[in-house]
Amino acid sequence: MTQKRSAGLLLFRRGENGVEVLLGHMGGPYFAKKDAGAWGVPKGEYEPDEPAWEAARREFREELGLAPPDGEAIALGEVRQHNGKIVTVWAIEADLDPAAVVPGTFTMEWPPRSGRTQEFPELDRVAWLGVERARELIVPAQAAFLDRLAEHSH
């Protein structure tokens, strides 16, 4: 079985209270009532023949419905999540209005074993969060990206 790989872009901006990052809350019924561990970098899976950087930009557009920003890309490397997926992320300093986001959707059977399918947003909320608040909410393995961004932005 091939290792699942995912790539994404972590937007950041410098505010009055320090660095803020743009995270998305995972959509769908499993995450509806969860906050901690249900937020992450906008990202998505890609095939081995697609360059990770191109996948990160494509997934940003698919997940948020907006063009990925131009700017200097800071490679934040990769992490292995609890589910075994390898996630590669770049940070870009840019601003974006979360209200402008038009999330992509996915379809799944819901309720389970009901035979009915429903459509859900990939991300049901997108928000700018201070790094400490982001650390409380982000998928645990992705917290490494916050550390690497902090090292870079000092």
Side-chain angles (χ1 to χ4, degrees):
M1 188 176 111
T2 333
Q3 182 105 50
K4 286 191 173 177
R5 298 187 76 86
S6 206
L9 298 179
L10 177 62
L11 298 195
F12 71 99
R13 66 184 184 185
R14 298 167 205 273
E16 292 172 18
N17 301 321
V19 173
E20 295 181 318
V21 293
L22 186 77
L23 296 182
H25 182 270
M26 291 178 252
Y30 294 118
F31 298 101
K33 292 181 171 53
K34 285 189 174 138
D35 230 14
W39 290 77
V41 175
K43 61 172 182 44
E45 290 182 13
Y46 65 98
E47 297 301 321
D49 61 345
E50 182 180 16
W53 168 246
E54 289 177 19
R57 292 181 59 79
R58 174 181 53 75
E59 285 294 335
F60 186 91
R61 185 182 304 274
E62 287 178 15
E63 297 259 319
L64 303 181
L66 301 170
D70 293 320
E72 179 195 351
I74 303 161
L76 297 181
E78 58 183 37
V79 298
R80 179 185 301 271
Q81 293 190 158
H82 182 68
N83 61 8
K85 185 183 290 178
I86 304 286
V87 180
T88 306
V89 166
W90 286 267
I92 297 179
E93 188 166 0
D95 205 352
L96 177 153
D97 179 359
V101 169
V102 181
T105 59
F106 69 95
T107 304
M108 67 180 279
E109 182 182 20
W110 190 261
R113 297 178 296 290
S114 65
R116 291 184 303 159
T117 56
Q118 290 189 47
E119 197 170 50
F120 297 98
E122 297 266 2
L123 299 172
D124 60 16
R125 285 175 279 160
V126 175
W128 286 103
L129 301 166
V131 173
E132 289 313 308
R133 182 67 178 139
R135 187 178 308 287
E136 295 169 10
L137 299 177
I138 200 165
V139 172
Q142 292 182 28
F145 296 131
L146 301 176
D147 296 338
R148 294 171 193 168
L149 177 62
E151 286 168 21
H152 188 276
S153 53
H154 275 113

